[in-house]
Amino acid sequence: MLREKTERQLEEVYQSRKQYLNKKDCCEELHEMCRNCENYCGWKNHDYEGCRNLACFKNWLGLEYLDWVNGY
């Protein structure tokens, strides 16, 4: 039950950030985190939809959620 709640929270953050993920002036921590993967795979445009189940991306979403909650 707790895991389901956490997954819903991560999904909420993903939906709120989705439109900003590829913007240069937003999500700098995410872009830095993904740089090695992008270089390795040769990606010019990163499709974060494919990353949604990766632990690294979920950790970033979790950090964003904590920043969001602590901002209140």
Side-chain angles (χ1 to χ4, degrees), residues 23-69:
K23 294 189 178 195
K24 298 279 184 202
D25 61 343
C26 184
C27 309
E28 292 88 7
E29 291 170 335
L30 176 65
H31 297 159
E32 184 64 33
M33 180 182 78
C34 294
R35 186 165 291 128
N36 288 335
C37 185
E38 291 168 351
N39 289 337
Y40 180 76
C41 295
W43 294 336
K44 299 289 183 205
N45 294 316
H46 198 126
D47 177 14
Y48 293 99
E49 183 71 26
C51 297
R52 291 175 70 184
N53 289 320
L54 297 177
C56 52
F57 191 66
K58 285 186 175 188
N59 285 329
W60 178 79
L61 289 173
L63 179 61
E64 287 293 297
Y65 184 80
L66 286 172
D67 284 347
W68 196 8
V69 169

